[in-house]
Amino acid sequence: MEKRKKQQNKKNKILSIVFMPTFSCDCTCDYCFEINEPVTVKDDFWVKIFEAFRIYSEKAGFTKLRFYWQGGEILTMSPEQVKKGLEECTSVFKASGIHIEHRLQSNLIAYSSDWAPIVNEYFHGHIGSSLDFPNLYRKTASLDQTVFVERWIEKKELALQDGISVSVIALPNNQTFINGAESFYNFYLNKAKLKSIQINFPFIPPNSTFSNMPDMERFAQFMEELYGIWIQSDRSLRIEPFGKLENAVFHDDNCLTCIWSYCCAFSLLAIDPLGRISQCDCWSSSFKEHSFGDIRYQSIETILESPNRKKFLERPLKLLQNTECGNCTYWHLCYGGCPTRATTMAKNFFSKDPYCPVYKKYFLYSLKT
Amino acid sequence: MIVFPGNTRITTTPSFPVAGSSKVCVYDVNDQATLDQQCQFYKERLCGIELDAEKLERIKSLANIRISTLRICVSSLDDLHYIDRLIQDIKGKNTAVILKTGKDILRVVNYLTGFRIKILISPVENEIFIPVLDELIDFYMHQTTVRSPIEPFHSILQTMINLTRITLWDILQEKPGFDFYITGEGKITLSKRWAENGRYFGSTNQSWDTLRTDKLFQKIQNPNKLFFAEQSECVFCPHFTQCGGYFKIFNADADCKPWKKVFATLQEEIQNVRRILTEYGKTEKTAK
Amino acid sequence: MGKDFFKKVQEYLVSEYPPALKQNIQTNMLTLDAEWIDLFKQYKIRISSSVDPVSKKLRTWKDGLPQLDTWLGKFFMLTDNDYPLGLVFTVSREHLGQEEKIYSYFRNLQSLSRGGIAVRFNPIYPSGRSENAYDLLIREPDYGKFLWKLWELWDRDLRPFNISPFTDFLDPHKHLCEFSKDCSERFLGIDGEGNVSNCGRTLDSKILFGNVFTDSWEDILDNEERKTMSGRSDVLKTTECLSCEFWELCYGGCPYTVKLYTGGYLNKSPFCESYKYFFNKIRNEVLR
């Protein structure tokens, strides 16, 4: 079944869309890279958005679209609003032959059982969320970091009762490394009682006062230790990117995370509530000057020819030709990493991802193991 | 105009269309119009298109081309720019890149193998590749994430493992009696390499019957026999089964030492793997 | 032997003997032609020939020129006709240190034959033209070292063709004459004049048991020298070969070579040390 799914994925031409129908958020996380604005897609704009994608997908030959609903915070909208959007999408793509999938990302703080029918019907009964350990930066106006975690766990349990599974993105910080990989692992497995987590690599939001970047050396050490624990525990907790890397190396599965794809611009786009297209949510509100265009005034096909997008397309080859990435043993696993991290941390779009030392150590360790 | 038998593969230019039912590879394709025309003319017979990377600039799209092998000649790191522009089309095809440069070789192979594009290097271009052969073979053998073959290493390795009688002649499209090459002047020979060495069987304005009675054509139908008859040092070489005398066919003094080293390296790797498997088998038996 | 006589002999054999009769011919092939090949095909004669591609001075015409060119031409006649044959290589001191070259030659030769060419390796012994060629004789245990080196190469390549005596040692049911316990019970040699001996080797040295035209078979088989040969293994088992762990692989070796070196039959092979050296190396495969 797995093999058939892989083969099917190989035949499918898939476009992933980071879909941000709102910039509103109920959290005040210190490290957030988005600007919290009370901007939400208008009722009559849903159709315009989905029609623009339908026209483009038909021309470009995409057979599958994945809409990753994130914000802001989706749950700050009403279930009715979101349902309207989902229904408009279904209607627009009906008889197009293009397969549509929806995925939901939420901080879960505003979750209630009212959401369960929509999540179960449209989002495969699953919510992707975020939870750090230890939680130093995630909070709301009324919930400090500690209470935030408790509230989150409560909401997660509620979602589970409603038949909804939850996975998280975890952003390690320097305290994580001090606490150690074992306590990290135990927290997610036993305290948060999760089945799946994804480790992301934090970056400094532009124009932000937040500056607590992780220590690279300790991060690398942490990744090694965590990987070892993961293997020893027989992979009882699903951890990405560990699983995806193993699939890529041992099962020839080409589905590494976006930061390690050859060029994220090949198959990923973001659209904000006003119809502005950019590379992904990292660029959408923080780097408006890097936006590609606006579907209110242009077709997606034209927007994608924007010089701002061309940079994303050119970046991998430039890294290969002009930097140490071209000679790197791990080029096929990393391709120079994430342009967002290069831009925000190394201040150079055409430089390699500053997490390079962390990736290298992790790749070496996991390949040896 | 010559008509080749059906069980042959002819490499030709657009100036010399090949009638009949043989498979055809076309080189010197310079623009979209020529590309479309060749695809239209040969249809299912077309088994390859060969063009220089910089000519890709004149190709708008390869999306609708159905060909089993696209061969692109890359002469520098900069040439990758032309491939990158069409990479979404190219990576879906059965594409091979013919490397014509040894400079920045690791960068070039990293790029190409990242897209599972097969790489071909010409073993006789010593000046280009001898300085980087060690690096290249190390990359091919030990890079865990490489998923596309680097020829001729890959096929040589296969022939060593499977103990088949495939030699460099087969791998590099110089199979006498099967492969034919038509030059820009309409002369017929075995391959571009043979043309560059001034060896021809005939020309396109002859008949097939005339061509196949050509002395050179007859002589090379069994290249192995030729080497034994001449008592060449090749027949004493431990790598003759992979090489077939490829390097010394024109010049008995040609230097093939660097490639002997390549063959020996590959052979050694196979022995290592066999040893490991044998030991593992013993351990399994003990464990049971 | 002329073709007409050969034909007559074959016609007689066909009429008088059952079809299961197998015929092998040992020939230098130097006067082989198409007619001979047709005759061999017709009567299903298996061909074996000696060759030395390495030391050309050892196999020459009467004028001293090497035979190899001519031999190769005849060899190609057979392989072009897909005619099966086996080869014999006589190892002398000249060949020590050239194991890889020799092995490679015979391994590469396989590419000319679809059915494979078996090769038998024999050590040189002081008989005939090499009776006094002391510079060619091999010192012990050098022949064993030669065999071991050859084996390593053959084994490395996964044993791609039959090499005697290797394949014989590996097969417990198969014994070459010189490693059989009782060669005189299983072999006879007869020359054109009716002289009877133990085998082709003893015939060459005129060790005769009698003559079919003048003696009865009872007298021939009761010949004293033959009886000594026949009882040889019983003697050796309790004397020089007592408690040898390789006895059942060797049985004291060829009585003829013993006679050449010692004048008698009741000693072990002069190559004992070599064979022991070799058997020790491959003991895991041959001792059960």
Side-chain angles (χ1 to χ4, degrees), chain B residues 34-44 46 49 64-67:
Chain B
T34 313
L35 175 65
D36 292 341
Q37 185 209 34
Q38 297 302 305
C39 291
Q40 179 62 31
F41 180 76
Y42 290 113
K43 295 192 175 55
E44 292 80 25
L46 188 65
I49 289 280
N64 297 321
I65 305 299
R66 287 175 190 278
I67 40 172

Side-chain angles (χ1 to χ4, degrees), chain B residues 88-107:
Chain B
Q88 298 270 53
D89 292 348
I90 287 170
K91 67 178 182 173
K93 311 278 177 221
N94 183 359
T95 308
V97 159
I98 303 170
L99 266 192
K100 299 279 190 191
T101 178
K103 200 166 169 278
D104 296 314
I105 193 126
L106 208 50
R107 292 177 195 271

Side-chain angles (χ1 to χ4, degrees), chain A residues 249 252 262 320 323 329 332, chain B residues 84 107 110 113 116 143 147:
Chain A
V249 172
D252 209 16
Y262 175 75
L320 179 111
T323 74
T329 312
H332 299 143
Chain B
D84 204 56
R107 292 177 195 271
N110 248 343
T113 53
R116 299 177 190 222
Q143 254 282 47
R147 289 286 187 272

